[in-house]
Amino acid sequence: MDLGRHTYALTTTWTGNRGSGTSGYRDYDRLATIEVAGKPALPVSADPAFRGDRGRWNPEDLLLAALSECHLLSYLHACTSAGVVVVAYRDEATGVMRESGGAGHFTEVLLRPVVTVADASMIEAAQVAHRQAGEWCFIANSVNFPVRHEATTLVAGQ
């Protein structure tokens, strides 16, 4: 048993067959459902720019969400280890994807967390914890583009 190895499983089911399958590029919907045992189903689609449903999550949203949440979780751990009490956290993340020759790739992601700490004495350690979180984040360590951080630290009650 490899204690450092973690395996994840899900099922993705395409639900966009309008009756003629993929008989033509405009003849099917980009709708699908992602399911993980014991969790609510996630309705997904393509980005609207690629004929998708804007009311559903798309792969680009999910990648950005994974990076933002991974940083959050790594950051909270780093703060706990450093004695920083975080009382609020909100991230306004953005990602840039470029298309070229029918393919595309992300060129960068910018995380903009606004963190509120319990006391002004924690500000410096709270800011340093973003670097540690960036090093610890499994998802950021798995992508081939930069994940940058522009963090703001506030103090509760001020």
Side-chain angles (χ1 to χ4, degrees):
M1 178 178 206
D2 183 354
L3 295 178
R5 182 175 184 225
H6 304 273
T7 303
Y8 302 89
L10 59 80
T11 301
T12 301
T13 305
W14 175 52
T15 58
N17 185 350
R18 295 183 194 157
S20 61
T22 58
S23 58
Y25 184 74
R26 298 178 187 275
D27 296 337
Y28 62 95
D29 289 325
R30 279 65 174 169
L31 306 178
T33 303
I34 296 175
E35 296 171 284
V36 174
K39 298 178 184 179
L42 182 63
V44 295
S45 184
D47 182 278
F50 308 109
R51 306 191 55 76
D53 181 335
R54 76 177 59 258
R56 292 180 173 225
W57 288 86
N58 62 59
E60 297 81 10
D61 293 334
L62 293 169
L63 177 61
L64 185 59
L67 286 161
S68 179
E69 183 185 3
C70 188
H71 185 81
L72 163 67
L73 297 172
S74 299
Y75 181 76
L76 295 176
H77 177 88
C79 284
T80 300
S81 298
V84 174
V85 178
V86 175
V87 297
Y89 182 109
R90 181 179 175 90
D91 183 13
E92 299 287 340
T94 57
V96 176
M97 186 184 78
R98 298 266 185 226
E99 283 186 83
S100 168
H105 65 278
F106 273 79
T107 58
E108 76 170 339
V109 161
L110 175 59
L111 306 178
R112 291 186 190 94
V114 176
V115 179
T116 304
V117 297
D119 187 82
S121 65
M122 300 174 179
I123 291 175
E124 185 177 340
Q127 292 168 339
V128 169
H130 285 290
R131 281 194 297 275
Q132 183 68 61
E135 293 172 12
W136 286 350
C137 176
F138 304 141
I139 307 303
N141 287 324
S142 301
V143 298
N144 65 353
F145 52 84
V147 179
R148 298 185 305 112
H149 314 99
E150 288 180 1
T152 302
T153 306
L154 306 175
V155 178
Q158 290 186 0

